């Protein structure tokens, strides 16, 4: 495997607004390699595991409700310093702080309907990848284009 991995998830609003392709394009254009992708409906049980660190916070129920309200696109990206690069492309969590040119800066206006999730550390990425993907669902393919980034 070249580089590290980052889990990302396009939330239900992205699918409803037909923005999945633009999200994927931005991450691909950064030079990251897509090694896992699936369209899925998240169960309340999986949502609870994914958001376990937020349990008890005032926004927890709304997070779980939103993420289970429709299908999501779960993805695993790979590249050098992958989590840092993905977070820069995604932008700040609060839409009012997200810079234009980032995914959240261009497509998101409400924190409670944040359009994309991205792992915030290598440790979180590993935990989240293991929640959403089986090892055999990840394909580390030979990426010739990576020589040019």
């Amino acid at each position: 495997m070249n580089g590290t991995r980052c889990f990302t998830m396009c939330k239900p609003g992205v699918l409803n607004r037909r923005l999945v392709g633009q999200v994927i394009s931005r991450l691909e254009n950064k030079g990251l390699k897509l090694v896992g992708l699936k369209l899925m409906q998240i169960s309340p049980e999986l949502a609870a595991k994914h958001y376990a660190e937020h349990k008890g916070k005032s926004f927890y129920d709304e997070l779980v409700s939103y993420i289970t309200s429709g299908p999501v696109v779960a993805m695993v990206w790979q590249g050098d310093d992958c989590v840092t690069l993905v977070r820069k492309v995604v932008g700040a969590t609060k839409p009012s702080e997200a810079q234009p040119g980032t995914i959240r800066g261009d497509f998101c206006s409400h924190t409670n309907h944040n359009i994309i999730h991205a792992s915030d550390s290598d440790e979180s990425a590993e935990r989240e990848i293991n929640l959403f993907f089986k090892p055999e669902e990840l394909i580390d393919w030979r990426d010739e284009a990576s020589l040019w980034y």
Side-chain angles (χ1 to χ4, degrees), residues 17 26 37 46 52 54 63 93 130 137:
R17 293 173 57 200
R26 287 177 182 224
L37 174 74
L46 179 55
H54 298 302
L63 270 177
T93 302
N130 289 329
E137 294 176 317

Side-chain angles (χ1 to χ4, degrees), residues 26-27 30 84-91 101-104:
R26 287 177 182 224
L27 293 165
K30 188 65 176 173
T84 300
L85 289 177
V86 167
R87 301 282 300 178
K88 286 188 181 295
V89 173
V90 166
T102 65
I103 292 168
R104 290 177 178 146

Side-chain angles (χ1 to χ4, degrees), residues 14 18 30 39 41 64 67 71 78 80 86 99 117 120 146 149:
V14 174
R18 312 302 195 261
K30 188 65 176 173
L39 177 68
Q41 181 71 47
V64 171
I67 206 69
Q78 185 173 298
D80 293 335
V86 167
Q99 295 295 311
H117 168 82
D120 61 6
S146 67
Y149 290 99

Side-chain angles (χ1 to χ4, degrees), residues 10-94:
C10 291
K11 296 182 181 180
V14 174
L15 278 85
N16 281 288
R17 293 173 57 200
R18 312 302 195 261
L19 296 172
V20 173
Q22 290 187 57
V23 169
I24 291 172
S25 289
R26 287 177 182 224
L27 293 165
E28 285 182 324
N29 288 340
K30 188 65 176 173
L32 299 170
K33 179 170 71 169
L34 184 61
V35 297
L37 174 74
K38 67 167 82 168
L39 177 68
M40 62 187 298
Q41 181 71 47
I42 297 179
S43 68
E45 295 78 22
L46 179 55
K49 288 177 186 175
H50 179 64
Y51 289 126
E53 70 272 13
H54 298 302
K55 190 158 180 69
K57 295 180 181 173
S58 62
F59 55 86
Y60 174 80
D61 289 338
E62 190 173 356
L63 270 177
V64 171
S65 177
Y66 177 50
I67 206 69
T68 59
S69 69
V72 302
V73 175
M75 298 175 280
V76 179
W77 295 90
Q78 185 173 298
D80 293 335
D81 203 15
C82 193
V83 169
T84 300
L85 289 177
V86 167
R87 301 282 300 178
K88 286 188 181 295
V89 173
V90 166
T93 302
K94 290 179 71 175

